[in-house]
Amino acid sequence: MNAPRHFQFSSGVDDRPHAVVIGSGFGGLAAAVRLGARGYRVSVLEKLDAPGGRAYVYRQDGYTFDAGPTIVTAPFLFEELWALCGKQLADDVELRPVAPFYRIRFANGEVFDYSGDAEAMRREIARFSPDDVAGYERYMQMSEAIFKVGFEELGHVPFDSILDMLKVAPDLMKLASYRTVYGLVSQYIQDERLRTVLSFHPLLVGGNPFSTTSVYCLISHLERKWGVHFAMGGTGRLVTGLVGLIEGQGGAVSCNREVAEITLNGRRATGVRLASGETMAADIVVSNADAAWTYRKLLPTTARKRWSDAKLKRARYSMGLFVWYFGTRRQYPEVEHHTILLGPRYKELLTDIFDRKILADDFSLYLHRPTATDPSLAPAGCDAFYVLSPVPHLASGTNWAHEAERYRKSIEKLLSATVLPGLENEIVTSRLLTPQDFQDRLNSVNGAAFSLEPILTQSAWFRPHNRSEDVDNLYLVGAGTHPGAGLPGVLSSARVLDTVVPNAETFAHAHA
Ligand SMILES: Cc1cc2nc3c(=O)[nH]c(=O)nc-3n(C[C@H](O)[C@H](O)[C@H](O)COP(=O)(O)OP(=O)(O)OC[C@H]3O[C@@H](n4cnc5c(N)ncnc54)[C@H](O)[C@@H]3O)c2cc1C
């Protein structure tokens, strides 16, 4: 990392080199803070009416709903951003540990409490399958070994050249990265229920455990090492905190400003043109818009060699999500903060979602009850929830305008029959988000919830690079870039950006 240079504000003119960041998801906001600390004047341009991207906040009828991320892992990645501004995260946002991390409920009602407490985990494993305890211990050792390479070594370095990939190939082979998450877990664990419990994590970043590279087994260790946290007041507090940091650096986050095009001079990015027609010049452009969208929609085909339309069409996109946000007039105190409700099928359901692209009648759900940790997110005596169901992305041809209410009702029926009795009579407020919204609101290709699928052939060098391969002075951060989706992934993409953007001094002469 380079030391920041302090540019002068002479005669009221900000002479710092200008960086335009397209999009205010966590990747974009983290990139903005890092660029501000490096001496850039930063303008973040956001299409929506508020920052956060997938972490947008809906407020209605006295309830606060975080639209997307709720599970905060690796908090040091946030702490670093505050430290770059000479501040402390804890002064702005309280991150509270959540225990258990997840309550996993099987279709037959059996429950597994998944936590970061090694002893409690051993007891839970033994309760299901005593013979698997030793295998579990060995699996966790493997997870730690993968973490050391996959997260600590590879997650924070750029993969600009195929040589970078070749250098790490022996490590990846040693760690059996050609195996899938489910495949690796199954090497250590015999009980089918426990295989599910230990292999579902890729779904949190848009991957099918049966095809995602086993590098993602590092999440088991990452969660145990740093815990699972919730931002009091909601994830939106982290968003407003980051916006405050950017403004404190003299940068700006402007909403309702959709970028229609990245302007070019030859193969060099020179700025952006907004949908309003206005243009903005920049020394560097950083796109936090979906990487595939950035290449397909914001740059002409003639400017792209590597990320051609054909390649982007062939790429595999993560699954979609159907999300139902609802508030109840009563509380359900027996429901944990994070609950996973597994359906009757695991592999077959995932095949329907990822490969056959069929909207199945059954589902596995993630249920979020933030009021378990922070009751202020709903009126007194009430609960705020969201429930999400992984579904195929838009290539399924599902017409969500027609399907959404029917699908919501079948989820409501299942919740009412299991963990939220009488739910249909308790709802006071409700809203939906479908893959169509991911495409229309968030500019996600195919309405995918997590951009490109995290398979080995779409990871590291194979993923859109943080320094564009096609356009000079263009950089990319966020879920569709290296290292990938999820809060740790997109915050790490901004960390990688920090290592590949030019020093602000490079542009200083132009501003003298
Ligand atoms: C429902 C849900 C739950 C999740 N839960 C978790 C979780 O618990 N923990 C976790 O770690 N991860 C979770 N994730 C994943 C995580 O939220 C995402 O991977 C991450 O937030 C994506 O950040 P990003 O930087 O890629 O930007 P995004 O959040 O995708 O934001 C991109 C922004 O760019 C804007 N934009 C796009 N095009 C333009 C344009 N042309 N001009 C201007 N602006 C534009 C969009 O409006 C958007 O605001 C979840 C995701 C979803 C959808």
Side-chain angles (χ1 to χ4, degrees), residues 16 38 55 62 87 113 122 197-198 213 273 288 312 341-342 351 377 403 424 475-476 499:
R16 294 175 294 175
R38 290 278 293 274
K87 298 189 170 183
D113 276 345
R122 266 192 293 272
V197 160
L198 293 171
T213 160
R273 186 176 56 77
N288 175 227
L312 289 167
L341 291 113
L342 295 166
T351 305
L377 298 170
E403 289 292 335
E424 54 282 16
Y475 300 85
L476 283 84
T499 68

Side-chain angles (χ1 to χ4, degrees), residues 22-28 45-48 52-55 67-71 204 257-259 288-290 293 298 321 323 386 388 438 441-443 449-450 478-479 485-488 490:
I22 306 168
S24 66
F26 274 117
L45 303 174
E46 168 56 51
K47 174 193 175 204
L48 299 177
R54 279 154 170 81
T70 61
I71 297 161
L204 302 179
R257 305 200 82 194
E258 178 169 9
V259 170
N288 175 227
D290 179 31
W293 190 280
L298 303 184
L321 290 177
V323 196
Y386 82 55
L388 68 77
F438 279 87
R441 262 176 76 76
L442 291 159
N443 290 355
F450 304 86
L487 299 187
V490 304

Side-chain angles (χ1 to χ4, degrees), residues 403-433:
E403 289 292 335
E405 182 52 19
R406 182 195 65 78
Y407 198 71
R408 184 201 69 75
K409 276 216 168 95
S410 48
I411 290 178
E412 179 185 83
K413 199 167 156 205
L414 182 99
L415 291 175
S416 186
T418 53
V419 291
L420 303 178
L423 176 62
E424 54 282 16
N425 301 316
E426 304 292 348
I427 295 161
V428 283
T429 191
S430 170
R431 72 181 304 134
L432 299 176
L433 195 70

Side-chain angles (χ1 to χ4, degrees), residues 153-159 466 482 496 499:
E153 288 177 30
L154 312 184
H156 298 118
V157 295
F159 278 85
N466 307 94
H482 171 65
V496 176
T499 68

Side-chain angles (χ1 to χ4, degrees), residues 2-73:
N2 301 285
R5 172 184 161 193
H6 299 288
F7 287 81
Q8 300 301 313
F9 290 80
S10 51
S11 18
V13 178
D14 188 341
D15 67 351
R16 294 175 294 175
H18 188 207
V20 163
V21 178
I22 306 168
S24 66
F26 274 117
L29 295 174
V33 170
R34 289 182 177 278
L35 292 169
R38 290 278 293 274
Y40 283 88
R41 171 172 66 93
V42 182
S43 305
V44 180
L45 303 174
E46 168 56 51
K47 174 193 175 204
L48 299 177
D49 63 356
R54 279 154 170 81
Y56 189 91
V57 180
Y58 296 109
R59 289 191 178 82
Q60 59 188 53
D61 302 323
Y63 295 77
T64 302
F65 299 108
D66 281 314
T70 61
I71 297 161
V72 179
T73 49

